[in-house]
Every structure is written in structure tokens, then in C-alpha cells.
Amino acid sequence: MPVLSVNRDAHERDTSHKLQCDEQMNLAAVLKETRGLRIDLPPPPDPPRAPQDLTERARYALYEVMDPELPISILDLGLVSDIAADELTGVVSVSLTFTATACPCMDFIKWDVRERLLEDDDICEVEINTVWDPPWTSAKISNRGREILESFGVAL
Amino acid sequence: MTETTKSGFKSAAELPDDLHSHLGILLLSLADNKRMLGIRYSDWILGAPSVEAGIACSAMAQDEWGHGRIIYSMLKDFGHDPAALEHERTSEEYRSSELLDCDVSSWPELLALNFLWDTAISVQVEMLLESCFEPIHYKVRKLLEEERFHFDHGSGWTSRLMTSDEGKNALGKAFATAWNACLRWFGPENDPLIEALVEGGIVSTNADCARMRWLNRVGPTVRDLGLVYTENSEWVSEPAPDWNGWSPVRRRASEGGPDADSLARARGDRNRSLL
């Protein structure tokens, strides 16, 4: 079931049909050009307290992995259930959940997570586990994520 | 997390041989039913009574395929090659219900699949909620959460058609045709497969309890179709299950399987060479 819907009130405030179209095209362009990586989002919050800590660094890096369908990071969307790095071997294990079992973007997201993490010279291998319990709900979206979604006219 | 599992089996390899075999049969049956039910839903994305209903069919099809994807992926630990399961089986090797063998020609027939059959499948999945087989235990909550809307959709549309004589007549025929397959899905009383899975803590209740849960779930909505009555506050099926021709391994009618068109779609035959 879709859990997100376009905020009709927000759109109804826009009396210009052209403006709405432009916004949608901009969003589409953003999604197309930045799928998964390097979206021009606000800087990630809470930089690692100890940048040398590989787990924290890996987690922080995932703020740069964007959901392919929504303009927020997978961390803000609440898809990252767990992350743990082995400093000695450079193996990072990431537990991901998805909004729906039929999410068509699962492979994209896993690919992007792996690619981004492997950019870190200290990470040699990325293990990705898919978890379904506890099930994802919109309550997992961060406050920052909610603000970004609202700015795009998406209400929860 | 859900309720604490009993001394859990963390993988299929830890299961005793009989449980391994029985659970493999149940999971393949669930996966095939979800795969084929998704195809039946997809038949109605275009042609449903309203755009809204078509969108609902699209969403339900997607859900069923998502669930099938999850369950099929588990079956490699039960001696199956997932690629072969998806692309190489003959019709007779499918475990999906005879109700799903070919496309249905009317919206009431689709509602029989949506409200009766989909609910029957979900009731069986509910029996795995407290399973001590952890790989399934940690997936079913998500599946059931997504299924809630399927029940609401089927129930809502059924109630809506019940308000007219024409609708009620059409539903009566469609539901009567699907009824026996739904009753049989849970297995006969003392079904050895289900009994063994209950004993092993894999599923929570026996076939009769599951059937009763299904009847209590659908009974109030279909009360005027002559298929159920109440006794001591429980819903009882008017026709008892007819087990003639039932296959305990396929968990469906022993004869038949998906028709040629459905099979080609399920296996992805048309573009097979692109794989």
C-alpha cells in the first residue's frame, strides 16, 4: 500500500498550473540525474563523533545514498536497520529494509549502498542483508526526512 | 520484533528431515499461489469496474509478486533451484490452486479470488507468525501488513455487490465455484503434513482451526449467499469440503495446472532468451 501521498493542500495553494508542472519536472530531473548518489541535499546531520570509527563513517556515508523514488536519503527514509564495520577486515555489514516487499528499487538501492561504501579506502567488502522485521512504517522517517518531503509537497 | 520464538531453527539446515520436507511443500505452495494470484490480479488492471479498482488490482498484484519473490528465495534452502522454479517447471509441477489456472471472466469471479482465496492464503500465513523457523518468522509480519488492504478491498467490493439482486446472484455463482477449493486449502482434518508442522512448532494451529478462522473471517460478509451458517457463535460451511481429487502434495486438485498462457507469463517465456 502506498503510504505517501501528494499533499493536495500544498498543490492547491499553487494557482499556476505551469508552476506545478515545472516542479514535477524539476523533481523528475533531480531523480534522474542523481539516482541514488550525490543529490544536493542539505548537509547530513550529526557528523561522526569519531571520524576514525569505521562504522560511524560508513553510516554517515549512507546519507549520500538517495532513495530512487523519493528525494531523501535511505537513512532519512529509515531503510537502514543496522550497520556494523569490522575495522580489521574492512568488511561492512548493512541490514536494509524496504518500504514494500515488491519494492522495484531494491537492487538499485543495494547497488548504490555498495558503491558508496566501497569509495572508502578502508572498506574492502560490503555485505547487505534484507530484513523485514520490524516492518517498515512511515514512523521510521527522520524529522529531517519529513521536512524535505514536505518541501516537495509530499505529506505523510 | 514479534513474540519470542520457541527454541528457534535459524536455518533450513537445522530442521529435522520430516519438518524440512513438509515445510518445503507448504512454502512452495504459498509461493506458487502468490505468484499466480498476482497474475490473476494483473489481468484486471485494465478492465476493472473503475480506475480505482484497477489501481487496487495493480497494487495487489505487486504485493503478491513481492511475497512470492521472498518465499521463492527461501526455497533454495529446501533443495530447489530458484531459477528453475521460476523458469523451467511444467504446468503439472505448479502448486497453485486450480482457481488460478486460467484467467477469470468476470469481476465477481475476481472477487472470489480476492476475498475468499487471498484471505485463505493469508490465514495460512498467519499460522506462521509464531513459527520457530526463524527465516519465515521474521518475514510474515510484513507480508500480513501488506495483505490487510487486500481483505478490505475484497470485503468492500463484495458488500457493495451484495446490495443488488444482480450483484448477489453473480457473487453467489462465483463464490460457490471457488468455495470448495478454499475449504480444502487448509488440508483435511488431521492432515499429517500440517499436524507434523504444528507438532514441530512451525505452524501454530491445525487444518480445522485454520479453516474455522477463515470461515469466521469471510462468513459475516457472505452470510446471504447460502454458503455459511452460524452455530455457537462460529461460522460453519454449509457444504462440507469435498476431498475428491485433492492432492496432499500439490495442496490443490491433483489434475491440471496453469494453462499455457498463464504458464508462459509465470515463466517469462516470451523473453526468455534475454536472460
Side-chain angles (χ1 to χ4, degrees):
Chain A
M1 276 297 287
V3 293
L4 303 168
S5 61
V6 172
N7 183 336
R8 294 186 180 189
D9 290 340
H11 278 280
E12 283 166 6
R13 283 197 293 271
D14 295 328
T15 53
S16 161
H17 175 67
K18 182 177 182 304
L19 178 60
Q20 290 184 34
C21 290
D22 286 346
E23 283 180 353
Q24 289 166 6
M25 288 183 66
N26 287 341
L27 177 57
V30 166
L31 293 174
K32 184 178 179 182
E33 290 174 12
T34 64
R35 188 190 64 72
L37 290 171
R38 304 282 187 263
I39 186 174
D40 188 19
L41 288 171
D46 306 326
R49 290 182 296 276
Q52 70 275 19
D53 182 294
L54 193 55
T55 297
E56 284 201 44
R57 217 162 67 228
R59 180 179 180 77
Y60 193 74
L62 296 185
Y63 274 112
E64 295 179 21
V65 178
M66 189 186 140
D67 181 83
E69 293 182 315
L70 295 168
I72 60 175
S73 75
I74 60 169
L75 264 181
D76 285 315
L77 188 54
L79 301 188
V80 182
S81 295
D82 191 30
I83 183 164
D86 185 322
E87 304 267 357
L88 292 177
T89 62
V91 176
V92 177
S93 297
V94 183
S95 293
L96 294 178
T97 192
F98 297 93
T99 56
T101 57
C103 170
C105 302
M106 287 168 61
D107 285 346
F108 292 156
I109 293 171
K110 289 177 183 177
W111 174 271
D112 291 343
V113 166
R114 184 171 282 109
E115 290 292 296
R116 175 61 190 89
L117 292 179
L118 288 174
E119 287 182 13
D120 189 311
D121 291 340
D122 293 330
I123 297 175
C124 306
E125 186 179 338
V126 178
E127 294 175 345
I128 298 177
N129 307 305
T130 302
V131 296
W132 296 107
D133 200 304
W136 182 90
T137 70
S138 59
K140 289 182 179 289
I141 301 176
S142 69
N143 289 335
R144 185 180 112 99
R146 288 169 191 276
E147 289 171 10
I148 297 169
L149 289 176
E150 284 175 10
S151 74
F152 277 92
V154 179
L156 300 176
Chain B
M1 292 292 169
T2 55
E3 304 77 13
T4 307
T5 52
K6 302 167 195 174
S7 55
F9 298 107
K10 295 190 185 308
S11 71
E14 295 181 9
L15 291 168
D17 287 347
D18 61 333
L19 290 184
H20 188 274
S21 168
H22 293 333
L23 182 55
I25 290 171
L26 181 61
L27 290 178
L28 181 55
S29 181
L30 284 169
D32 279 351
N33 272 295
K34 285 185 167 292
R35 178 78 174 125
M36 298 308 300
L37 180 57
I39 288 179
R40 297 286 80 96
Y41 278 135
S42 78
D43 292 334
W44 287 84
I45 294 173
L46 300 175
S50 68
V51 170
E52 204 64 40
I55 292 170
C57 285
S58 171
M60 292 189 290
Q62 196 172 7
D63 287 340
E64 299 300 345
W65 290 329
H67 300 172
R69 171 167 69 179
I70 286 175
I71 301 172
Y72 280 130
S73 71
M74 297 173 65
L75 283 164
K76 67 178 183 300
D77 296 328
F78 289 85
H80 294 283
D81 171 3
L85 279 182
E86 182 172 357
H87 301 294
E88 295 173 10
R89 284 184 295 163
T90 64
S91 176
E92 289 72 25
E93 292 174 289
Y94 275 74
R95 306 289 174 82
S96 45
S97 170
E98 59 268 35
L99 299 177
L100 307 172
D101 283 349
C102 59
D103 59 352
V104 297
S105 59
S106 72
W107 186 244
E109 289 174 278
L110 189 278
L111 290 178
L113 300 182
N114 178 191
F115 187 54
L116 300 183
W117 185 251
D118 203 349
T119 302
I121 298 291
S122 291
V123 166
Q124 189 64 64
V125 172
E126 283 174 29
M127 301 303 163
L128 296 162
L129 256 176
E130 296 178 44
S131 179
C132 64
F133 182 58
E134 294 186 7
I136 192 72
H137 171 83
Y138 288 120
K139 294 181 176 72
V140 292
R141 269 214 296 170
K142 181 66 177 177
L143 270 57
L144 292 171
E145 178 191 283
E146 294 183 339
E147 286 288 344
R148 279 188 307 176
F149 137 76
H150 299 206
F151 179 83
D152 290 344
H153 184 269
S155 170
W157 264 101
T158 300
S159 299
R160 180 173 170 177
L161 295 198
M162 289 282 229
T163 59
S164 73
D165 289 340
E166 183 186 1
K168 192 187 294 184
N169 288 338
L171 281 176
K173 289 176 187 167
F175 281 29
T177 301
W179 194 254
N180 194 52
C182 297
L183 289 175
R184 299 201 303 187
W185 155 247
F186 303 100
E189 185 181 5
N190 303 322
D191 181 349
L193 181 141
I194 298 296
E195 293 286 319
L197 291 174
V198 171
E199 181 68 22
I202 304 292
V203 302
S204 56
T205 60
N206 64 28
D208 269 355
C209 286
R211 193 168 15 253
M212 189 179 297
R213 184 180 290 197
W214 174 76
L215 283 166
N216 286 331
R217 189 83 43 93
V218 301
T221 306
V222 304
R223 64 193 313 157
D224 294 334
L225 295 181
L227 295 165
V228 287
Y229 63 94
T230 53
E231 187 176 271
N232 300 325
S233 303
E234 298 284 357
W235 291 89
V236 182
S237 174
E238 183 76 57
D242 175 1
W243 297 100
N244 186 35
W246 193 75
S247 162
V249 173
R250 296 184 76 193
R251 305 196 72 71
R252 54 158 287 155
S254 54
E255 301 288 327
D259 67 11
D261 178 61
S262 304
L263 186 65
R265 290 167 68 194
R267 301 194 310 194
D269 285 356
R270 188 179 296 176
N271 293 296
R272 184 82 168 278
S273 62
L274 299 177
L275 286 176

